[in-house]
Amino acid sequence: MPPLVLASTSPFRRELLARLGLPFATANPAVDEAPLPGEKPEASALRLSQAKARAVADSHPGALIIGSDQVAYLDGHVFGKPETHQNALRQLQSMRGRQVNFFTGLCLLDARTGRAHLRGVPTVVTFRDLTDHEIENYLRREQPYNCAGSAKSEGLGIALIARIDGEDPNALIGLPLIALCDLLRLENVAVLDQPPTAHPAIN
């Protein structure tokens, strides 16, 4: 099996990938995540997932590299990472009581050949009709300012949500493992055929 590299510094993506029991390294892709003019949310997530993988390919020329990106959108409006408390507050106020689309783009890049496999995984999240007081309490406790749509479902953000509809519960956290297992098989890596390792993350 070639080396496996996760092109992300997210501790949540790292924790998800570790579930597969495969040794892997992590790398910071340092990619500008701004959407292109007129770019649809799904296309943006797929483009950025591949851009992240390719951004670290030169430093890991023999590896299989995983890139992932997520966008949240409602009524044609994209909710990115809020960065500030006020932006997060506005995001959640506009999403309460609504169904919001979270689209996760996934790329598995073979740095040896340049071949990239892409997969998009949609998730529809129904938010509770929260009060301003509940939203404020959530934001001050969780501070999800680096999370698309401010909804940190792997933490207290799960209390914001009334329902999740999607093919992979891991996709909402940022790394769709079901789709990743499919893509790894395309590169002749069957997760359950690999020997167990006590320390999957090698850096």
Side-chain angles (χ1 to χ4, degrees):
M1 174 180 152
L4 193 63
V5 175
L6 175 64
S8 174
T9 57
S10 164
F12 305 107
R13 287 191 175 113
R14 180 185 176 118
E15 289 171 10
L16 285 173
L17 184 55
R19 292 183 191 178
L20 299 185
L22 302 173
F24 67 93
T26 59
N28 185 354
V31 167
D32 182 357
E33 298 184 14
L36 299 177
E39 188 175 43
K40 292 185 179 300
E42 297 93 338
S44 177
L46 290 169
R47 175 181 61 81
L48 289 172
S49 68
Q50 183 169 189
K52 290 176 180 180
R54 293 196 181 279
V56 304
D58 287 346
S59 54
H60 299 276
L64 289 175
I65 303 173
I66 301 164
S68 185
D69 188 77
Q70 186 181 81
V71 295
Y73 59 99
L74 171 66
D75 296 335
H77 178 75
V78 175
F79 297 96
K81 297 175 181 177
E83 306 297 346
T84 70
H85 181 89
Q86 285 304 314
N87 287 341
L89 179 62
R90 284 192 290 268
Q91 284 186 348
L92 292 176
Q93 285 174 334
S94 65
M95 293 190 293
R96 59 185 167 192
R98 304 289 304 280
Q99 287 187 330
V100 180
N101 295 286
F102 286 78
F103 186 88
T104 306
L106 177 68
C107 174
L108 182 66
L109 171 71
D110 187 339
R112 300 166 298 180
T113 64
R115 180 175 58 233
H117 305 286
L118 293 174
R119 185 74 62 86
V121 181
T123 306
V124 177
V125 176
T126 303
F127 282 83
R128 299 182 188 278
D129 192 8
L130 302 161
T131 66
D132 287 348
H133 178 70
E134 288 175 312
I135 293 173
E136 279 284 357
N137 277 347
Y138 161 72
L139 290 176
R140 300 209 179 273
R141 291 172 63 183
E142 188 66 81
Q143 300 183 14
Y145 307 132
N146 197 37
C147 180
S150 307
K152 201 171 183 179
S153 63
E154 61 273 20
L156 186 59
I158 198 66
L160 306 174
I161 296 169
R163 181 184 175 96
I164 298 173
D165 295 289
E167 60 193 64
D168 188 339
N170 304 296
L172 189 58
I173 302 174
L175 189 64
L177 294 182
I178 294 173
L180 179 58
C181 288
D182 291 341
L183 299 188
L184 287 169
R185 282 183 175 273
L186 295 178
E187 290 295 336
N188 299 311
V189 178
V191 173
L192 295 179
D193 283 345
Q194 304 303 315
T197 175
H199 303 287
I202 60 175
N203 69 331

